[in-house]
Amino acid sequence: QPPAPPATDEEAVRTAVQQYFDAQARKDAGAALAFWSAAANPRPTRDAFVAVFGDGEDQFVVDVQRVVVQGAEARVRVLAVRTRVTLRDGRQSSARTLLQNAQIWRRETAGWKLLRDGPFAEEIADEIIAAAAADRPALFDQHRADLSRIRQAISQRATMAITLGRDYARG
């Protein structure tokens, strides 16, 4: 008997997140790409997924820490530990990577689709940049443990604004 559909939007998003990582663990680029909205910008390509999958076997332990659904959009904070086991010169080795991502999912006709998947520091950088100057100190205090990653995200945006658009004021 097929599994019952998720009872809530939050459950549906949590299920989609897990399935997305499962597709990556299987190295199924087509299935992983199917989770992405056609409206996502940037949207990963098949070649990008194949490059990320690389050699070896992957396993993911996924912890969906937070799902906030507002209308047709869901903001997700996910921690995933990726363990890659490779075989080189007859020796097996493993490497672990911690992914601390913020995802934005949107409800579409075909179900929940990814609009953005990246380091959570990017999401916090959005919040800080959008905040009034008087509100920023409280945000810095709230995210003190992650300030180095947030500074890097903001710095990269400033560099891109200046380098690509010659927009010094924005940078």
Side-chain angles (χ1 to χ4, degrees):
Q1 188 173 10
T8 67
D9 284 338
E10 179 179 338
E11 290 174 10
V13 170
R14 286 177 180 276
T15 298
V17 170
Q18 184 63 55
Q19 291 172 345
Y20 174 62
F21 281 98
D22 291 346
Q24 291 181 61
R26 291 190 315 270
K27 298 183 182 291
D28 187 342
L33 281 169
F35 284 95
W36 282 85
S37 171
N41 185 15
R43 185 175 191 269
T45 64
R46 182 176 202 55
D47 290 341
F49 268 112
V50 170
V52 169
F53 293 152
D55 294 333
E57 296 298 318
D58 288 338
Q59 185 177 38
F60 287 90
V61 175
V62 178
D63 176 16
V64 178
Q65 293 192 316
R66 183 180 70 199
V67 176
V68 177
V69 178
Q70 293 179 319
E73 187 174 284
R75 291 189 172 270
V76 178
R77 181 72 57 91
V78 62
L79 293 179
V81 176
R82 173 182 165 185
T83 303
R84 172 165 284 175
V85 178
T86 56
L87 188 63
R88 295 201 197 284
D89 300 324
R91 291 186 171 173
Q92 185 176 355
S93 66
S94 64
R96 286 198 173 105
T97 306
L98 174 63
L99 305 171
Q100 298 174 313
N101 285 8
Q103 299 177 334
I104 300 175
W105 291 77
R106 181 170 64 188
R107 187 184 313 108
E108 297 182 356
T109 305
W112 287 95
K113 298 292 181 177
L114 259 172
L115 286 176
R116 178 174 162 187
D117 182 20
F120 69 88
E122 293 287 335
E123 181 181 64
I124 299 168
D126 288 344
E127 184 180 356
I128 290 171
I129 291 169
D135 296 334
R136 289 182 182 150
L139 291 171
F140 294 146
D141 285 341
Q142 180 182 348
H143 300 291
R144 183 149 311 279
D146 303 310
L147 283 180
S148 64
R149 290 186 204 119
I150 297 164
R151 284 186 189 118
Q152 182 179 7
I154 292 172
S155 174
Q156 289 172 341
R157 291 178 189 197
T159 300
M160 294 304 285
I162 292 167
T163 305
L164 298 178
R166 305 275 188 241
D167 188 346
Y168 294 96
R170 183 170 168 239

